[in-house]
Amino acid sequence: NAGVTQTPKFRILKIGQSMTLQCTQDMNHNYMYWYRQDPGMGLKLIYYSVGAGITDKGEVPNGYNVSRSTTEDFPLRLELAAPSQTSVYFCASSYRGLSEAFFGQGTRLTVV
Amino acid sequence: TQLLEQSPQFLSIQEGENLTVYCNSSSVFSSLQWYRQEPGEGPVLLVTVVTGGEVKKLKRLTFQFGDARKDSSLHITAAQPGDTGLYLCAGEGRRGNYGQNFVFGPGTRLSVLP
């Protein structure tokens, strides 16, 4: 009954450091997404994937990279952390595009 | 890119009161979704409305999709502290290389005081 699992839940990074946010789902969904949520701004799409090996940029992709080697996993990579990347990051999955999205619990990232 | 606006941005009410929150756009949507996000959690889908003029009820929550499919409302009757959270609406937005993705409104943050 896990659904979408994100790790870590919290992280503090120094400017210029890199890290990978992990996301895995056990619902066999083809579609997976990464969003960032800033206060009063709603959810902004960073990257999405429609299946293993297929990814595409969303609305705010700069400073991030993704890969999708398996159906289950969709990690998000930050190469050179900047203060503007301080946010809460959510991974989500869905059976198909524009259908119900299932979200993880989020990763709160602070870049100092 | 289609945009969604939500109002009010914040709402604080007493337990037992009724409230309505709104999701508006200048664009037409084929469907709209409503999510509720509790503190420290990800959003959870409440309902999807797909037909202009449609009304859906979920216990004390009533969702309506505008006739022109440009707006939606969520009405809560006799609010309870458990209704506290961020209410987000979402509709089809930007088209990527592999189809459209959702665009989310900024949300209405509801606080129901006991």
PDB file of all heavy atoms in Angstrom, chain B residues 4-38:
ATOM      1  N   LEU B   4      -4.942  29.235 -13.994  1.00  0.00           N
ATOM      2  CA  LEU B   4      -6.042  29.094 -13.048  1.00  0.00           C
ATOM      3  C   LEU B   4      -5.811  30.041 -11.873  1.00  0.00           C
ATOM      4  O   LEU B   4      -4.704  30.116 -11.344  1.00  0.00           O
ATOM      5  CB  LEU B   4      -6.126  27.659 -12.532  1.00  0.00           C
ATOM      6  CG  LEU B   4      -6.649  26.615 -13.515  1.00  0.00           C
ATOM      7  CD1 LEU B   4      -6.361  25.222 -13.007  1.00  0.00           C
ATOM      8  CD2 LEU B   4      -8.131  26.804 -13.750  1.00  0.00           C
ATOM      9  N   GLU B   5      -6.850  30.762 -11.511  1.00  0.00           N
ATOM     10  CA  GLU B   5      -6.808  31.616 -10.335  1.00  0.00           C
ATOM     11  C   GLU B   5      -7.754  31.044  -9.286  1.00  0.00           C
ATOM     12  O   GLU B   5      -8.797  30.489  -9.627  1.00  0.00           O
ATOM     13  CB  GLU B   5      -7.227  33.041 -10.696  1.00  0.00           C
ATOM     14  CG  GLU B   5      -6.314  33.700 -11.715  1.00  0.00           C
ATOM     15  CD  GLU B   5      -6.806  35.074 -12.124  1.00  0.00           C
ATOM     16  OE1 GLU B   5      -7.981  35.384 -11.862  1.00  0.00           O
ATOM     17  OE2 GLU B   5      -6.018  35.834 -12.714  1.00  0.00           O
ATOM     18  N   GLN B   6      -7.369  31.198  -8.024  1.00  0.00           N
ATOM     19  CA  GLN B   6      -8.211  30.715  -6.955  1.00  0.00           C
ATOM     20  C   GLN B   6      -8.451  31.809  -5.933  1.00  0.00           C
ATOM     21  O   GLN B   6      -7.558  32.614  -5.649  1.00  0.00           O
ATOM     22  CB  GLN B   6      -7.576  29.493  -6.268  1.00  0.00           C
ATOM     23  CG  GLN B   6      -7.560  28.264  -7.156  1.00  0.00           C
ATOM     24  CD  GLN B   6      -7.126  27.019  -6.419  1.00  0.00           C
ATOM     25  OE1 GLN B   6      -6.066  26.464  -6.686  1.00  0.00           O
ATOM     26  NE2 GLN B   6      -7.962  26.589  -5.479  1.00  0.00           N
ATOM     27  N   SER B   7      -9.654  31.837  -5.394  1.00  0.00           N
ATOM     28  CA  SER B   7      -9.990  32.823  -4.376  1.00  0.00           C
ATOM     29  C   SER B   7     -10.948  32.220  -3.357  1.00  0.00           C
ATOM     30  O   SER B   7     -11.716  31.303  -3.681  1.00  0.00           O
ATOM     31  CB  SER B   7     -10.638  34.053  -5.034  1.00  0.00           C
ATOM     32  OG  SER B   7     -11.832  33.678  -5.708  1.00  0.00           O
ATOM     33  N   PRO B   8     -10.876  32.679  -2.096  1.00  0.00           N
ATOM     34  CA  PRO B   8      -9.831  33.579  -1.615  1.00  0.00           C
ATOM     35  C   PRO B   8      -8.502  32.836  -1.452  1.00  0.00           C
ATOM     36  O   PRO B   8      -8.469  31.618  -1.529  1.00  0.00           O
ATOM     37  CB  PRO B   8     -10.385  34.022  -0.265  1.00  0.00           C
ATOM     38  CG  PRO B   8     -11.161  32.843   0.207  1.00  0.00           C
ATOM     39  CD  PRO B   8     -11.788  32.253  -1.034  1.00  0.00           C
ATOM     40  N   GLN B   9      -7.444  33.583  -1.206  1.00  0.00           N
ATOM     41  CA  GLN B   9      -6.148  32.943  -1.005  1.00  0.00           C
ATOM     42  C   GLN B   9      -6.093  32.281   0.375  1.00  0.00           C
ATOM     43  O   GLN B   9      -5.523  31.211   0.536  1.00  0.00           O
ATOM     44  CB  GLN B   9      -5.043  33.984  -1.131  1.00  0.00           C
ATOM     45  CG  GLN B   9      -3.636  33.403  -1.114  1.00  0.00           C
ATOM     46  CD  GLN B   9      -2.570  34.470  -1.333  1.00  0.00           C
ATOM     47  OE1 GLN B   9      -2.887  35.652  -1.495  1.00  0.00           O
ATOM     48  NE2 GLN B   9      -1.322  34.064  -1.319  1.00  0.00           N
ATOM     49  N   PHE B  10      -6.683  32.957   1.370  1.00  0.00           N
ATOM     50  CA  PHE B  10      -6.734  32.440   2.740  1.00  0.00           C
ATOM     51  C   PHE B  10      -8.161  32.559   3.256  1.00  0.00           C
ATOM     52  O   PHE B  10      -8.875  33.507   2.917  1.00  0.00           O
ATOM     53  CB  PHE B  10      -5.807  33.231   3.680  1.00  0.00           C
ATOM     54  CG  PHE B  10      -4.361  33.194   3.288  1.00  0.00           C
ATOM     55  CD1 PHE B  10      -3.797  34.241   2.564  1.00  0.00           C
ATOM     56  CD2 PHE B  10      -3.555  32.131   3.647  1.00  0.00           C
ATOM     57  CE1 PHE B  10      -2.458  34.214   2.214  1.00  0.00           C
ATOM     58  CE2 PHE B  10      -2.213  32.097   3.295  1.00  0.00           C
ATOM     59  CZ  PHE B  10      -1.671  33.140   2.567  1.00  0.00           C
ATOM     60  N   LEU B  11      -8.541  31.609   4.105  1.00  0.00           N
ATOM     61  CA  LEU B  11      -9.871  31.648   4.703  1.00  0.00           C
ATOM     62  C   LEU B  11      -9.785  30.987   6.069  1.00  0.00           C
ATOM     63  O   LEU B  11      -9.347  29.846   6.188  1.00  0.00           O
ATOM     64  CB  LEU B  11     -10.871  30.924   3.806  1.00  0.00           C
ATOM     65  CG  LEU B  11     -12.337  30.978   4.181  1.00  0.00           C
ATOM     66  CD1 LEU B  11     -12.812  32.425   4.263  1.00  0.00           C
ATOM     67  CD2 LEU B  11     -13.171  30.209   3.163  1.00  0.00           C
ATOM     68  N   SER B  12     -10.219  31.726   7.087  1.00  0.00           N
ATOM     69  CA  SER B  12     -10.225  31.195   8.446  1.00  0.00           C
ATOM     70  C   SER B  12     -11.642  31.314   8.982  1.00  0.00           C
ATOM     71  O   SER B  12     -12.202  32.416   9.011  1.00  0.00           O
ATOM     72  CB  SER B  12      -9.255  31.979   9.342  1.00  0.00           C
ATOM     73  OG  SER B  12      -9.238  31.436  10.650  1.00  0.00           O
ATOM     74  N   ILE B  13     -12.244  30.201   9.357  1.00  0.00           N
ATOM     75  CA  ILE B  13     -13.627  30.208   9.805  1.00  0.00           C
ATOM     76  C   ILE B  13     -13.778  29.362  11.058  1.00  0.00           C
ATOM     77  O   ILE B  13     -12.877  28.596  11.423  1.00  0.00           O
ATOM     78  CB  ILE B  13     -14.577  29.673   8.715  1.00  0.00           C
ATOM     79  CG1 ILE B  13     -14.230  28.221   8.370  1.00  0.00           C
ATOM     80  CG2 ILE B  13     -14.536  30.545   7.476  1.00  0.00           C
ATOM     81  CD1 ILE B  13     -15.244  27.558   7.470  1.00  0.00           C
ATOM     82  N   GLN B  14     -14.945  29.494  11.695  1.00  0.00           N
ATOM     83  CA  GLN B  14     -15.250  28.695  12.873  1.00  0.00           C
ATOM     84  C   GLN B  14     -15.929  27.390  12.457  1.00  0.00           C
ATOM     85  O   GLN B  14     -16.629  27.328  11.431  1.00  0.00           O
ATOM     86  CB  GLN B  14     -16.184  29.469  13.812  1.00  0.00           C
ATOM     87  CG  GLN B  14     -15.578  30.698  14.464  1.00  0.00           C
ATOM     88  CD  GLN B  14     -14.445  30.349  15.420  1.00  0.00           C
ATOM     89  OE1 GLN B  14     -13.380  30.948  15.383  1.00  0.00           O
ATOM     90  NE2 GLN B  14     -14.697  29.373  16.280  1.00  0.00           N
ATOM     91  N   GLU B  15     -15.698  26.382  13.239  1.00  0.00           N
ATOM     92  CA  GLU B  15     -16.369  25.092  13.027  1.00  0.00           C
ATOM     93  C   GLU B  15     -17.875  25.305  12.912  1.00  0.00           C
ATOM     94  O   GLU B  15     -18.471  26.063  13.680  1.00  0.00           O
ATOM     95  CB  GLU B  15     -16.047  24.153  14.191  1.00  0.00           C
ATOM     96  CG  GLU B  15     -16.639  22.763  14.063  1.00  0.00           C
ATOM     97  CD  GLU B  15     -16.204  21.851  15.199  1.00  0.00           C
ATOM     98  OE1 GLU B  15     -15.473  22.315  16.104  1.00  0.00           O
ATOM     99  OE2 GLU B  15     -16.594  20.667  15.180  1.00  0.00           O
ATOM    100  N   GLY B  16     -18.480  24.628  11.922  1.00  0.00           N
ATOM    101  CA  GLY B  16     -19.918  24.721  11.749  1.00  0.00           C
ATOM    102  C   GLY B  16     -20.354  25.714  10.677  1.00  0.00           C
ATOM    103  O   GLY B  16     -21.504  25.678  10.216  1.00  0.00           O
ATOM    104  N   GLU B  17     -19.448  26.618  10.292  1.00  0.00           N
ATOM    105  CA  GLU B  17     -19.792  27.600   9.263  1.00  0.00           C
ATOM    106  C   GLU B  17     -19.740  26.953   7.874  1.00  0.00           C
ATOM    107  O   GLU B  17     -19.106  25.914   7.668  1.00  0.00           O
ATOM    108  CB  GLU B  17     -18.835  28.787   9.323  1.00  0.00           C
ATOM    109  CG  GLU B  17     -19.004  29.647  10.573  1.00  0.00           C
ATOM    110  CD  GLU B  17     -18.085  30.865  10.552  1.00  0.00           C
ATOM    111  OE1 GLU B  17     -17.297  31.015   9.599  1.00  0.00           O
ATOM    112  OE2 GLU B  17     -18.156  31.654  11.505  1.00  0.00           O
ATOM    113  N   ASN B  18     -20.389  27.619   6.918  1.00  0.00           N
ATOM    114  CA  ASN B  18     -20.344  27.210   5.520  1.00  0.00           C
ATOM    115  C   ASN B  18     -19.363  28.100   4.765  1.00  0.00           C
ATOM    116  O   ASN B  18     -19.108  29.248   5.169  1.00  0.00           O
ATOM    117  CB  ASN B  18     -21.721  27.329   4.869  1.00  0.00           C
ATOM    118  CG  ASN B  18     -22.762  26.485   5.560  1.00  0.00           C
ATOM    119  OD1 ASN B  18     -22.449  25.458   6.149  1.00  0.00           O
ATOM    120  ND2 ASN B  18     -24.006  26.937   5.505  1.00  0.00           N
ATOM    121  N   LEU B  19     -18.797  27.592   3.678  1.00  0.00           N
ATOM    122  CA  LEU B  19     -17.866  28.394   2.897  1.00  0.00           C
ATOM    123  C   LEU B  19     -17.879  27.944   1.449  1.00  0.00           C
ATOM    124  O   LEU B  19     -18.254  26.812   1.138  1.00  0.00           O
ATOM    125  CB  LEU B  19     -16.442  28.260   3.465  1.00  0.00           C
ATOM    126  CG  LEU B  19     -15.844  26.864   3.314  1.00  0.00           C
ATOM    127  CD1 LEU B  19     -14.643  26.872   2.375  1.00  0.00           C
ATOM    128  CD2 LEU B  19     -15.478  26.282   4.664  1.00  0.00           C
ATOM    129  N   THR B  20     -17.434  28.862   0.589  1.00  0.00           N
ATOM    130  CA  THR B  20     -17.273  28.538  -0.825  1.00  0.00           C
ATOM    131  C   THR B  20     -15.936  29.088  -1.299  1.00  0.00           C
ATOM    132  O   THR B  20     -15.596  30.236  -0.990  1.00  0.00           O
ATOM    133  CB  THR B  20     -18.392  29.145  -1.680  1.00  0.00           C
ATOM    134  OG1 THR B  20     -19.658  28.667  -1.197  1.00  0.00           O
ATOM    135  CG2 THR B  20     -18.241  28.752  -3.138  1.00  0.00           C
ATOM    136  N   VAL B  21     -15.198  28.288  -2.023  1.00  0.00           N
ATOM    137  CA  VAL B  21     -13.952  28.734  -2.649  1.00  0.00           C
ATOM    138  C   VAL B  21     -14.082  28.556  -4.151  1.00  0.00           C
ATOM    139  O   VAL B  21     -14.870  27.736  -4.629  1.00  0.00           O
ATOM    140  CB  VAL B  21     -12.728  27.984  -2.094  1.00  0.00           C
ATOM    141  CG1 VAL B  21     -12.584  28.239  -0.602  1.00  0.00           C
ATOM    142  CG2 VAL B  21     -12.798  26.497  -2.375  1.00  0.00           C
ATOM    143  N   TYR B  22     -13.319  29.367  -4.885  1.00  0.00           N
ATOM    144  CA  TYR B  22     -13.511  29.461  -6.316  1.00  0.00           C
ATOM    145  C   TYR B  22     -12.229  29.200  -7.089  1.00  0.00           C
ATOM    146  O   TYR B  22     -11.131  29.504  -6.624  1.00  0.00           O
ATOM    147  CB  TYR B  22     -14.038  30.857  -6.672  1.00  0.00           C
ATOM    148  CG  TYR B  22     -15.335  31.187  -5.981  1.00  0.00           C
ATOM    149  CD1 TYR B  22     -15.339  31.833  -4.745  1.00  0.00           C
ATOM    150  CD2 TYR B  22     -16.549  30.823  -6.555  1.00  0.00           C
ATOM    151  CE1 TYR B  22     -16.533  32.119  -4.101  1.00  0.00           C
ATOM    152  CE2 TYR B  22     -17.747  31.110  -5.919  1.00  0.00           C
ATOM    153  CZ  TYR B  22     -17.735  31.754  -4.684  1.00  0.00           C
ATOM    154  OH  TYR B  22     -18.916  32.033  -4.052  1.00  0.00           O
ATOM    155  N   CYS B  23     -12.420  28.680  -8.284  1.00  0.00           N
ATOM    156  CA  CYS B  23     -11.326  28.426  -9.222  1.00  0.00           C
ATOM    157  C   CYS B  23     -11.765  29.005 -10.561  1.00  0.00           C
ATOM    158  O   CYS B  23     -12.817  28.612 -11.086  1.00  0.00           O
ATOM    159  CB  CYS B  23     -11.085  26.921  -9.323  1.00  0.00           C
ATOM    160  SG  CYS B  23      -9.900  26.405 -10.569  1.00  0.00           S
ATOM    161  N   ASN B  24     -11.018  29.959 -11.084  1.00  0.00           N
ATOM    162  CA  ASN B  24     -11.444  30.683 -12.277  1.00  0.00           C
ATOM    163  C   ASN B  24     -10.352  30.747 -13.333  1.00  0.00           C
ATOM    164  O   ASN B  24      -9.160  30.768 -13.017  1.00  0.00           O
ATOM    165  CB  ASN B  24     -11.848  32.120 -11.917  1.00  0.00           C
ATOM    166  CG  ASN B  24     -13.004  32.168 -10.978  1.00  0.00           C
ATOM    167  OD1 ASN B  24     -14.128  31.870 -11.319  1.00  0.00           O
ATOM    168  ND2 ASN B  24     -12.713  32.549  -9.736  1.00  0.00           N
ATOM    169  N   SER B  25     -10.796  30.820 -14.577  1.00  0.00           N
ATOM    170  CA  SER B  25      -9.862  30.966 -15.683  1.00  0.00           C
ATOM    171  C   SER B  25     -10.549  31.697 -16.822  1.00  0.00           C
ATOM    172  O   SER B  25     -11.780  31.733 -16.907  1.00  0.00           O
ATOM    173  CB  SER B  25      -9.386  29.589 -16.160  1.00  0.00           C
ATOM    174  OG  SER B  25      -8.548  29.717 -17.284  1.00  0.00           O
ATOM    175  N   SER B  26      -9.755  32.272 -17.701  1.00  0.00           N
ATOM    176  CA  SER B  26     -10.309  32.864 -18.917  1.00  0.00           C
ATOM    177  C   SER B  26     -10.358  31.829 -20.033  1.00  0.00           C
ATOM    178  O   SER B  26     -10.873  32.103 -21.120  1.00  0.00           O
ATOM    179  CB  SER B  26      -9.465  34.065 -19.354  1.00  0.00           C
ATOM    180  OG  SER B  26      -8.124  33.661 -19.571  1.00  0.00           O
ATOM    181  N   SER B  27      -9.829  30.643 -19.762  1.00  0.00           N
ATOM    182  CA  SER B  27      -9.769  29.578 -20.765  1.00  0.00           C
ATOM    183  C   SER B  27     -10.806  28.503 -20.468  1.00  0.00           C
ATOM    184  O   SER B  27     -11.250  28.342 -19.333  1.00  0.00           O
ATOM    185  CB  SER B  27      -8.379  28.940 -20.777  1.00  0.00           C
ATOM    186  OG  SER B  27      -7.382  29.906 -20.992  1.00  0.00           O
ATOM    187  N   VAL B  28     -11.137  27.753 -21.479  1.00  0.00           N
ATOM    188  CA  VAL B  28     -12.060  26.641 -21.336  1.00  0.00           C
ATOM    189  C   VAL B  28     -11.266  25.374 -21.031  1.00  0.00           C
ATOM    190  O   VAL B  28     -10.237  25.112 -21.649  1.00  0.00           O
ATOM    191  CB  VAL B  28     -12.882  26.440 -22.630  1.00  0.00           C
ATOM    192  CG1 VAL B  28     -13.760  25.196 -22.523  1.00  0.00           C
ATOM    193  CG2 VAL B  28     -13.724  27.677 -22.906  1.00  0.00           C
ATOM    194  N   PHE B  29     -11.753  24.618 -20.071  1.00  0.00           N
ATOM    195  CA  PHE B  29     -11.114  23.359 -19.699  1.00  0.00           C
ATOM    196  C   PHE B  29     -12.050  22.196 -20.014  1.00  0.00           C
ATOM    197  O   PHE B  29     -13.264  22.290 -19.832  1.00  0.00           O
ATOM    198  CB  PHE B  29     -10.768  23.347 -18.210  1.00  0.00           C
ATOM    199  CG  PHE B  29      -9.627  24.250 -17.863  1.00  0.00           C
ATOM    200  CD1 PHE B  29      -9.852  25.581 -17.546  1.00  0.00           C
ATOM    201  CD2 PHE B  29      -8.332  23.779 -17.852  1.00  0.00           C
ATOM    202  CE1 PHE B  29      -8.800  26.432 -17.238  1.00  0.00           C
ATOM    203  CE2 PHE B  29      -7.264  24.609 -17.538  1.00  0.00           C
ATOM    204  CZ  PHE B  29      -7.510  25.945 -17.240  1.00  0.00           C
ATOM    205  N   SER B  30     -11.483  21.097 -20.471  1.00  0.00           N
ATOM    206  CA  SER B  30     -12.308  19.917 -20.699  1.00  0.00           C
ATOM    207  C   SER B  30     -12.673  19.253 -19.373  1.00  0.00           C
ATOM    208  O   SER B  30     -13.689  18.548 -19.288  1.00  0.00           O
ATOM    209  CB  SER B  30     -11.579  18.927 -21.604  1.00  0.00           C
ATOM    210  OG  SER B  30     -10.375  18.495 -20.987  1.00  0.00           O
ATOM    211  N   SER B  31     -11.882  19.462 -18.351  1.00  0.00           N
ATOM    212  CA  SER B  31     -12.189  18.955 -17.025  1.00  0.00           C
ATOM    213  C   SER B  31     -11.371  19.729 -15.996  1.00  0.00           C
ATOM    214  O   SER B  31     -10.371  20.359 -16.344  1.00  0.00           O
ATOM    215  CB  SER B  31     -11.864  17.456 -16.901  1.00  0.00           C
ATOM    216  OG  SER B  31     -10.472  17.234 -17.006  1.00  0.00           O
ATOM    217  N   LEU B  32     -11.827  19.690 -14.766  1.00  0.00           N
ATOM    218  CA  LEU B  32     -11.073  20.284 -13.664  1.00  0.00           C
ATOM    219  C   LEU B  32     -11.036  19.286 -12.516  1.00  0.00           C
ATOM    220  O   LEU B  32     -12.003  18.552 -12.281  1.00  0.00           O
ATOM    221  CB  LEU B  32     -11.706  21.582 -13.184  1.00  0.00           C
ATOM    222  CG  LEU B  32     -11.454  22.850 -14.001  1.00  0.00           C
ATOM    223  CD1 LEU B  32     -12.210  24.031 -13.411  1.00  0.00           C
ATOM    224  CD2 LEU B  32      -9.979  23.172 -14.064  1.00  0.00           C
ATOM    225  N   GLN B  33      -9.925  19.276 -11.826  1.00  0.00           N
ATOM    226  CA  GLN B  33      -9.784  18.431 -10.650  1.00  0.00           C
ATOM    227  C   GLN B  33      -9.632  19.317  -9.414  1.00  0.00           C
ATOM    228  O   GLN B  33      -9.075  20.408  -9.487  1.00  0.00           O
ATOM    229  CB  GLN B  33      -8.551  17.530 -10.779  1.00  0.00           C
ATOM    230  CG  GLN B  33      -8.631  16.529 -11.901  1.00  0.00           C
ATOM    231  CD  GLN B  33      -7.415  15.594 -11.918  1.00  0.00           C
ATOM    232  OE1 GLN B  33      -6.384  15.902 -11.345  1.00  0.00           O
ATOM    233  NE2 GLN B  33      -7.565  14.458 -12.578  1.00  0.00           N
ATOM    234  N   TRP B  34     -10.105  18.827  -8.283  1.00  0.00           N
ATOM    235  CA  TRP B  34      -9.889  19.460  -6.988  1.00  0.00           C
ATOM    236  C   TRP B  34      -9.092  18.503  -6.111  1.00  0.00           C
ATOM    237  O   TRP B  34      -9.429  17.311  -5.997  1.00  0.00           O
ATOM    238  CB  TRP B  34     -11.211  19.782  -6.302  1.00  0.00           C
ATOM    239  CG  TRP B  34     -11.915  20.986  -6.847  1.00  0.00           C
ATOM    240  CD1 TRP B  34     -12.851  21.012  -7.826  1.00  0.00           C
ATOM    241  CD2 TRP B  34     -11.737  22.343  -6.429  1.00  0.00           C
ATOM    242  NE1 TRP B  34     -13.269  22.302  -8.043  1.00  0.00           N
ATOM    243  CE2 TRP B  34     -12.609  23.139  -7.193  1.00  0.00           C
ATOM    244  CE3 TRP B  34     -10.941  22.970  -5.460  1.00  0.00           C
ATOM    245  CZ2 TRP B  34     -12.710  24.523  -7.049  1.00  0.00           C
ATOM    246  CZ3 TRP B  34     -11.041  24.340  -5.313  1.00  0.00           C
ATOM    247  CH2 TRP B  34     -11.909  25.101  -6.102  1.00  0.00           C
ATOM    248  N   TYR B  35      -8.043  19.060  -5.498  1.00  0.00           N
ATOM    249  CA  TYR B  35      -7.195  18.301  -4.568  1.00  0.00           C
ATOM    250  C   TYR B  35      -7.211  19.011  -3.211  1.00  0.00           C
ATOM    251  O   TYR B  35      -7.341  20.236  -3.134  1.00  0.00           O
ATOM    252  CB  TYR B  35      -5.740  18.255  -5.059  1.00  0.00           C
ATOM    253  CG  TYR B  35      -5.494  17.381  -6.265  1.00  0.00           C
ATOM    254  CD1 TYR B  35      -5.777  17.829  -7.540  1.00  0.00           C
ATOM    255  CD2 TYR B  35      -4.948  16.100  -6.120  1.00  0.00           C
ATOM    256  CE1 TYR B  35      -5.535  17.032  -8.655  1.00  0.00           C
ATOM    257  CE2 TYR B  35      -4.703  15.296  -7.224  1.00  0.00           C
ATOM    258  CZ  TYR B  35      -5.007  15.778  -8.473  1.00  0.00           C
ATOM    259  OH  TYR B  35      -4.756  14.982  -9.578  1.00  0.00           O
ATOM    260  N   ARG B  36      -7.013  18.227  -2.165  1.00  0.00           N
ATOM    261  CA  ARG B  36      -6.796  18.791  -0.834  1.00  0.00           C
ATOM    262  C   ARG B  36      -5.422  18.348  -0.347  1.00  0.00           C
ATOM    263  O   ARG B  36      -5.069  17.168  -0.462  1.00  0.00           O
ATOM    264  CB  ARG B  36      -7.840  18.349   0.184  1.00  0.00           C
ATOM    265  CG  ARG B  36      -7.573  18.918   1.593  1.00  0.00           C
ATOM    266  CD  ARG B  36      -8.735  18.704   2.507  1.00  0.00           C
ATOM    267  NE  ARG B  36      -8.978  17.300   2.783  1.00  0.00           N
ATOM    268  CZ  ARG B  36     -10.163  16.800   3.076  1.00  0.00           C
ATOM    269  NH1 ARG B  36     -11.216  17.586   3.125  1.00  0.00           N
ATOM    270  NH2 ARG B  36     -10.285  15.518   3.321  1.00  0.00           N
ATOM    271  N   GLN B  37      -4.679  19.302   0.181  1.00  0.00           N
ATOM    272  CA  GLN B  37      -3.343  19.027   0.684  1.00  0.00           C
ATOM    273  C   GLN B  37      -3.275  19.391   2.157  1.00  0.00           C
ATOM    274  O   GLN B  37      -3.478  20.558   2.521  1.00  0.00           O
ATOM    275  CB  GLN B  37      -2.304  19.832  -0.109  1.00  0.00           C
ATOM    276  CG  GLN B  37      -0.870  19.545   0.296  1.00  0.00           C
ATOM    277  CD  GLN B  37       0.126  20.342  -0.528  1.00  0.00           C
ATOM    278  OE1 GLN B  37      -0.229  21.280  -1.245  1.00  0.00           O
ATOM    279  NE2 GLN B  37       1.390  19.982  -0.441  1.00  0.00           N
ATOM    280  N   GLU B  38      -3.003  18.406   2.988  1.00  0.00           N
ATOM    281  CA  GLU B  38      -2.865  18.654   4.417  1.00  0.00           C
ATOM    282  C   GLU B  38      -1.406  18.980   4.716  1.00  0.00           C
ATOM    283  O   GLU B  38      -0.501  18.609   3.958  1.00  0.00           O
ATOM    284  CB  GLU B  38      -3.353  17.437   5.193  1.00  0.00           C
ATOM    285  CG  GLU B  38      -4.831  17.158   4.960  1.00  0.00           C
ATOM    286  CD  GLU B  38      -5.346  15.988   5.768  1.00  0.00           C
ATOM    287  OE1 GLU B  38      -4.605  15.503   6.646  1.00  0.00           O
ATOM    288  OE2 GLU B  38      -6.498  15.583   5.540  1.00  0.00           O
TER     289      GLU B  38
END
